[in-house]
Amino acid sequence: MGKRIIIAGGGTGGHIFPAIAIANALTRIDDSIEILFVGANGKMEMEKVPQAGYEIKGIGIAGFNRSSLIKNIGLPFKLIKSFMQVKGILKNFRPDGVIGVGGYSSFPVLRYAQSKRTPTFIHESNSFAGKSNIMLGKKATKIFVASDGMEKFFPAEKIMITGNPVRSGIVSNTIGREEAVKFFGLDHAKKTVLSTGGSLGAKSINEAVDAGIDEFAKNDLQLIWQTGKPYADKAKHVAHGKANVWTNDFITKMEYAFAAADIVISRSGAMSIAELCVVKKPVVFVPFPFAAEDHQTVNAQNLVNKNAGILIKDSEAKEKLITTVMALAKDEKRQNELKENIAKLAVTNADEVIAGEVLKLIG
C-alpha cells in the first residue's frame, strides 16, 4: 500500500500553489501515494485544490483579527472545534507524514500530528518565519526554507534550504510571446505590461494603474491587469472601450500572462518572487507594507541589492509607479540588466527536492 500524506494550509495563492507543486512532485516520484489536503472553510484553497485534482477537507478555523478585537470572541471555540475536526480527519486518513505550507489551517493539523508522533514537515517560504511555524518548528521533523539565515527562527539541524516550489506550468512553459499576447486579445507588436497584485489583489497598485491608465496608450503600451475581486468592477469600468487593456480579477493561466509580459508590476511575496525569477522578467515591486515583520520589503530589497528588481514603496505607488514603469519601458538596457540578474536567482526543482526528502524521512 502506498504512503499517505496530508498537506495543510492555504489562504492565498502564495501558500496554495507551492502546496500543489509539492503534491504533484510526490505523485511523480511515487504514483501510489495518497494525498489529502486540509484547508480553511471559505478560503481559496477549497476551490483551487479540487481544480488541481486533489481531495480537500475543510475545517472551521480563522485567524486573530487585529483590526476588530470584538470579532475574536469566538476564536477559542473555533480553535477547539477545528482541533476536533482535525482529530477526526487524521484518525480516518492515518497519514504517514504531514506537510504544513502556512495559513490558518496548517497549525491545528501539524500540532495534532505532532502530538501523535507523526512526522511533520514545514515549508516556510518567507525570509521572516510566521509565529505559528516558529512554534511548530520545535517538534517538526524537517523544515524547508527559501533562504539562508533562518537559524534565528528554527533549530539549525532541522533546516534544509530548498528554495520555493514554483508551479510546473510556469517552470516548463513553452508558450511563445505571440501566442500568449493573442490569448489576451492584445497586439503582439506592442510592449505589454502585466500588473498583478497576487490572488487577492493589491489596492495601491490598482489605484495607481487606474489613475495612470491613459499613459499606457500614450506610450504605445498595452496592459494585462489582474485586480483581485475587490477592485474588479471598478477596473472593468475604467478599461471599458480601451483596446490596449485586458482586465480580470484573477488569471487562471498565469503561464500565458508571464509569456506575454515585457515588464511586470508585482507585490513581493516569496512565491511571486520565486515565479518571477523563473520567468526572467524586469519587475517593479510594490511590497505590501503590512505583511508580518514587513517581510515583503525585505524580499524586494534583497533583489534591488542584486540589481534584479526596482522597488516602489506602497505609500508612494500613486505618484511614482506609472512614471517608473513608463521610463523602464523606454530603457531596453535597464530591462536586460534586470532580466539577467533576476534569472540568476531562479530555482526550478524545489518541489522535487522537498518531495524526495519527505519520502526519505517517512521511510
Side-chain angles (χ1 to χ4, degrees):
M1 200 170 112
K3 297 287 181 196
R4 301 160 80 88
I5 293 172
I6 282 178
I7 301 179
T12 66
H15 292 140
I16 298 159
F17 297 126
I20 291 168
I22 294 167
N24 291 341
L26 285 164
T27 53
R28 277 200 306 275
I29 294 169
D30 181 352
D31 61 8
S32 71
I33 288 172
E34 277 187 68
I35 292 173
L36 175 67
F37 279 76
V38 178
N41 284 329
K43 293 290 178 185
M44 170 180 180
E45 58 265 29
M46 301 310 291
E47 180 192 336
K48 298 293 169 198
V49 169
Q51 281 173 3
Y54 294 101
E55 187 188 351
I56 185 165
K57 300 270 187 202
I59 60 174
I61 182 88
F64 184 78
N65 192 314
R66 286 180 175 84
S67 59
S68 170
L69 294 178
I70 198 114
K71 287 182 181 165
N72 296 309
I73 288 170
L75 197 59
F77 303 104
K78 279 186 179 167
L79 276 171
I80 292 161
K81 190 184 173 194
S82 69
F83 271 103
M84 298 306 288
Q85 289 170 316
V86 165
K87 185 179 175 183
I89 292 166
L90 269 77
K91 212 170 165 184
N92 287 333
F93 191 71
R94 300 188 313 282
D96 297 290
V98 176
I99 305 168
V101 293
Y104 303 143
S105 52
S106 65
F107 182 77
V109 180
L110 268 75
R111 182 57 107 202
Y112 184 78
Q114 288 175 349
S115 76
K116 294 292 168 193
R117 292 193 159 74
T118 303
T120 58
F121 305 88
I122 292 168
H123 175 253
E124 176 53 73
S125 58
N126 286 303
S127 43
F128 269 90
K131 285 187 174 63
S132 60
N133 273 355
I134 293 169
M135 285 162 72
L136 292 164
K138 294 179 178 75
K139 289 185 178 175
T141 309
K142 200 84 179 171
I143 301 153
F144 306 112
V145 298
S147 53
D148 52 13
M150 298 301 279
E151 300 79 15
K152 56 183 175 284
F153 305 111
F154 301 118
E157 71 280 2
K158 293 183 178 184
I159 293 172
M160 182 176 184
I161 300 172
T162 60
N164 283 326
V166 173
R167 293 175 262 187
S168 58
I170 288 166
V171 173
S172 57
N173 190 3
T174 56
I175 298 153
R177 185 183 176 279
E178 194 169 327
E179 183 193 343
V181 171
K182 202 172 153 189
F183 177 82
F184 293 98
L186 297 170
D187 178 357
H188 71 87
K190 291 185 177 181
K191 264 214 165 85
T192 305
V193 176
L194 165 65
S195 176
T196 170
S199 52
L200 305 174
K203 188 169 180 280
S204 62
I205 292 176
N206 286 334
E207 286 175 350
V209 170
D210 184 336
I213 198 86
D214 293 331
E215 293 302 310
F216 289 88
K218 280 182 199 164
N219 287 274
D220 204 27
L221 297 172
Q222 52 197 6
L223 173 68
I224 298 168
W225 184 13
Q226 181 265 324
T227 62
K229 280 202 173 113
Y231 212 87
D233 290 341
K234 200 165 181 207
K236 281 200 167 75
H237 178 72
V238 170
H240 183 69
K242 291 181 170 61
N244 69 320
V245 180
W246 179 98
T247 186
N248 208 344
D249 65 308
F250 192 76
I251 299 172
T252 47
K253 293 188 182 292
M254 249 347 251
E255 60 272 31
Y256 279 87
F258 284 140
D262 297 292
I263 291 168
V264 180
I265 301 166
S266 176
R267 286 296 198 202
S268 48
M271 294 318 307
S272 299
I273 286 179
E275 292 183 349
L276 290 161
C277 291
V278 168
V279 298
K280 312 172 178 56
K281 300 288 172 180
V283 190
V284 180
F285 289 107
V286 185
F288 177 58
F290 306 111
E293 313 283 357
D294 197 18
H295 68 247
Q296 286 209 6
T297 300
V298 175
N299 292 347
Q301 192 59 52
N302 283 342
L303 292 180
V304 172
N305 295 346
K306 293 169 180 143
N307 194 22
I310 295 170
L311 191 160
I312 301 283
K313 283 184 186 170
D314 189 85
S315 58
E316 297 176 350
K318 204 127 179 213
E319 58 194 85
K320 291 185 179 173
L321 179 59
I322 298 305
T323 51
T324 302
V325 170
M326 297 304 141
L328 181 59
K330 292 187 179 88
D331 190 342
E332 293 286 340
K333 184 173 171 283
R334 183 88 175 101
Q335 286 172 48
N336 289 329
E337 269 174 17
L338 292 171
K339 256 191 266 193
E340 279 169 29
N341 291 326
I342 203 167
K344 290 173 192 165
L345 308 172
V347 177
T348 56
N349 68 338
D351 53 349
E352 283 164 11
V353 173
I354 291 167
E357 190 69 11
V358 167
L359 291 177
K360 188 175 89 184
L361 291 169
I362 62 175

